[in-house]
Amino acid sequence: MNRFDYTRPASVAEAVQAGTGEQVRYLAGGTNLIDLMKENVDQPTTVIDINRLPLNAIEELDGGGLRLGALVPNSDTAWDARVEQRYPLLSSAILAGASPQLRNAATNGGNLNQRTRCYYFYDVATPCNKRKPGSGCGAIGGVNRIHAILGASDQCIATHPSDMCVALAVLDAIVQVTGPEGDRAIPIADYHRLPGDEPWRDNTLRPGELVTGIDLPAEDFTKNYTYLKLRDRLSYAFALVSIAVAMRIEGSTIAEARVALGGVAHKPWRSTEAEKLLKGQQPSPQTFSAFADALLAGAVGQCKNDFKIPLARKGIVRALKQAAEATPQSQTDKRIA
Amino acid sequence: MSIAVNSATYAAMPIGRVPTKLTINGETRTRAIEPWTTLLDLLREGEDLIGTKKGCDHGQCGACTVLVDGRRINSCLKLAVTLDGADITTIEGLGQPGKLHPLQSAFCDHDAFQCGYCTPGQICSAQGLINEGKARTREEVRELMSGNLCRCGAYTNIIDAVLDVIGEQV
């Protein structure tokens, strides 16, 4: 790990004041940043320890939503009684990720801002446009089993590794940030970005901006939901494909359905246009298959990850069935019903 | 007593050591720590507490698991200076020769290890699991112990040992 200046600001304002500069990093739980520093993928000259800042509460919002403080650990968020009762999809997605130890340290803000686990991004001996702009992409034509099938560019095929963010995409969460130019509220759909020709930019944060919280709008997706995560081993592994579904069923028809995919793109993958195919329909394998094809329109394999396209298609159909039948995937009993 | 964090002290601190107070296994120690030192390296190399093991050093194996304020974390991914004022428990603080912690006794009774390298992390993790109070069934214990790898493959017996201490039917 490289040497760096360590600062511990006493207020959010002080943190933001210190937070501008290319090689300045905010340190929260550290479960990703410290690892990146050990691998020399990231070599900040200044590390700002934000762990003492008052961003560690889960609060009620006017109108029935919740604000998740940026520094609340993932485990405390997943096991918060209000989150469990009102946003069980979010609890389930968080508990599908990482390990108990990592979830105890990792924070909500850090989960949003974690970097890809692309092997080439992590290996400084290989080219990577995300790590070193202009150096090329080792994953294209390389070992790309875990890489993107949607929204990739000819410069980068990395995926965003989060489970939590896939649920947040379905819940229409709002990311609250503050920075040198004041506060902003960023809809989750606009927070992460596709790689395009600037793959080094994971998200739309501006220099020096700090995530302060994540707002969950009031929703009632407490019955018909699921988080189905498909991976190489049943625990403690990143998703090859994951599917978050939130649905409202009125009578025998789908009044609303939202679906986001993890593990397939540079950001949680969702199409509100495709979701219109589910609205007003009876739950059925045909309806679910038609939707899966629409959501996966334009999917392209990179050779080693070609399997992800049929896996995603089948996973979407299965997850929609789980949600429609109100039998959400258990994150302890891993059998897929 | 925790150290008051004064921004005037820290804001412009140059590269150097940071005064940090840690209570480790009940003993309060104040140390001047280089900011890039992980808790794991501090414990093993600075405090001579070598019960905590370094496996992967990347948060992928759980061998370095310790309890910070009663919560289990990977000590390899935590900078020690960020824990100023924290209460840390390592395997040395859970039990002693002749006075084993119930989890240590249960690991012996159930033959829950072979080489033993992952065992301190397994036991600290199990204590964290018990503190969390979320695991009751075998499946729940299995899932919530999944952050600790055992390359010898003693998993079945580890789950038996943890369940034994939780007091559920094995």
Side-chain angles (χ1 to χ4, degrees):
Chain A
M1 199 184 306
N2 67 293
R3 306 304 189 234
F4 52 82
D5 288 346
Y6 172 79
T7 70
R8 197 186 295 163
S11 69
V12 171
E14 223 175 275
V16 167
Q17 207 167 24
T20 44
E22 205 169 306
Q23 293 304 320
V24 179
R25 296 288 179 271
Y26 295 120
L27 174 67
T31 53
N32 189 212
L33 179 60
I34 300 303
D35 196 30
L36 292 166
M37 289 165 67
K38 287 184 180 189
E39 296 280 12
N40 292 324
V41 174
D42 205 354
Q43 297 185 303
T45 53
T46 300
V47 170
I48 303 174
D49 178 359
I50 60 170
N51 283 290
R52 310 291 164 121
L53 301 181
L55 303 172
N56 54 355
I58 296 179
E59 298 165 314
E60 294 286 345
L61 290 174
D62 291 343
L66 282 182
R67 173 164 296 174
L68 311 174
L71 291 172
V72 179
N74 288 172
S75 52
D76 289 10
T77 304
W79 283 332
D80 182 274
R82 294 162 293 180
V83 176
E84 285 179 323
Q85 285 160 21
R86 287 149 60 181
Y87 305 96
L89 169 63
L90 181 61
S91 286
S92 184
I94 293 172
L95 293 174
S99 72
Q101 291 96 312
L102 289 166
R103 295 193 295 263
N104 275 345
T107 64
N108 293 332
N111 193 306
L112 287 175
N113 292 341
Q114 65 180 307
R115 311 298 308 271
T116 184
R117 267 38 174 221
C118 171
Y119 325 119
Y120 299 91
F121 175 71
Y122 254 81
D123 183 350
V124 297
T126 64
C128 171
N129 287 322
K130 183 181 281 295
R131 173 170 37 76
K132 193 176 177 194
S135 63
C137 174
I140 296 174
V143 180
N144 50 36
R145 175 175 169 76
I146 65 170
H147 289 77
I149 53 171
L150 287 159
S153 76
D154 59 3
Q155 298 206 17
C156 179
I157 59 171
T159 58
H160 193 264
S162 172
D163 293 297
M164 184 183 90
C165 292
V166 185
L168 293 178
V170 158
L171 295 169
D172 283 342
I174 308 284
V175 183
Q176 298 290 344
V177 309
T178 189
E181 293 160 31
D183 298 343
R184 288 202 298 148
I186 309 172
I188 187 75
D190 301 329
Y191 186 79
H192 297 106
R193 58 184 296 285
L194 295 178
D197 54 8
E198 291 182 304
W200 54 92
R201 290 178 59 213
D202 292 354
N203 55 50
T204 54
L205 279 180
R206 295 172 188 156
E209 279 188 328
L210 174 69
V211 175
T212 56
I214 301 168
D215 290 0
L216 302 176
E219 301 281 7
D220 185 14
F221 293 121
T222 55
K223 185 178 170 215
N224 297 106
Y225 71 93
T226 196
Y227 188 73
L228 176 60
K229 181 174 179 179
L230 305 169
R231 46 189 151 172
D232 279 330
R233 60 184 185 200
L234 289 176
S235 300
Y236 207 2
F238 290 99
L240 293 165
V241 174
S242 70
I243 306 102
V245 181
M247 195 183 277
R248 276 188 306 113
I249 293 185
E250 289 172 5
S252 62
T253 61
I254 299 168
E256 184 183 10
R258 304 180 189 173
V259 182
L261 305 179
V264 297
H266 203 254
K267 61 185 288 187
W269 192 260
R270 192 179 159 196
S271 166
T272 50
E273 196 58 36
E275 286 166 14
K276 289 176 185 166
L277 293 173
L278 295 168
K279 194 178 169 73
Q281 301 295 312
Q282 307 266 337
S284 75
Q286 293 76 18
T287 301
F288 297 161
S289 292
F291 168 77
D293 288 339
L295 184 58
L296 293 170
V300 179
Q302 300 283 344
C303 184
K304 304 287 195 298
N305 69 349
D306 289 350
F307 71 95
K308 280 192 179 187
I309 298 173
L311 184 68
R313 182 174 286 117
K314 290 178 180 178
I316 292 165
V317 172
R318 185 64 67 99
L320 283 164
K321 180 170 177 279
Q322 288 183 337
E325 293 177 356
T327 53
Q329 178 63 43
S330 165
Q331 303 305 349
T332 50
D333 180 351
K334 300 299 177 69
R335 282 171 295 190
I336 297 171
Chain B
M1 190 185 78
S2 65
I3 292 174
V5 178
N6 181 325
S7 61
T9 309
Y10 287 100
M13 181 170 284
I15 290 175
R17 292 169 182 258
V18 179
T20 304
K21 181 185 276 189
L22 300 170
T23 301
I24 304 175
N25 299 331
E27 184 190 326
T28 299
R29 310 174 187 207
T30 301
R31 299 284 187 263
I33 301 173
E34 291 175 331
W36 39 86
T37 308
T38 62
L39 175 60
L40 173 60
D41 287 343
L42 177 80
L43 291 170
R44 288 185 58 83
E45 292 170 23
E47 305 302 319
D48 201 26
L49 291 166
I50 58 172
T52 306
K53 296 295 186 271
K54 181 178 283 196
C56 68
D57 210 23
H58 292 288
Q60 297 175 5
C61 78
C64 68
T65 303
V66 300
L67 298 162
V68 174
D69 296 327
R71 296 160 62 97
R72 49 178 164 161
I73 64 162
N74 304 95
S75 62
C76 72
L77 293 180
K78 186 60 78 178
L79 297 183
V81 292
T82 66
L83 297 175
D84 191 20
D87 192 275
I88 292 154
T89 304
T90 69
I91 189 67
E92 291 93 340
L94 281 179
Q96 298 295 327
K99 194 185 170 194
L100 295 184
H101 184 276
L103 280 164
Q104 291 173 313
S105 299
F107 269 60
C108 294
D109 293 345
H110 289 275
D111 196 16
F113 49 86
Q114 289 182 47
C115 83
Y117 195 81
C118 74
T119 310
Q122 297 278 2
I123 288 175
C124 285
S125 187
Q127 183 60 55
L129 174 148
I130 290 167
N131 294 349
E132 289 158 9
K134 299 291 182 183
R136 285 162 290 274
T137 66
R138 170 171 283 275
E139 275 169 348
E140 288 166 345
V141 170
R142 194 175 157 186
E143 171 61 19
L144 291 176
M145 285 299 291
S146 65
N148 294 80
L149 304 192
C150 168
R151 298 310 297 266
C152 302
Y155 294 111
T156 307
N157 295 359
I158 291 168
I159 304 305
D160 287 346
V162 175
L163 280 167
D164 200 359
V165 174
I166 291 175
E168 292 290 327
Q169 197 178 355
V170 177

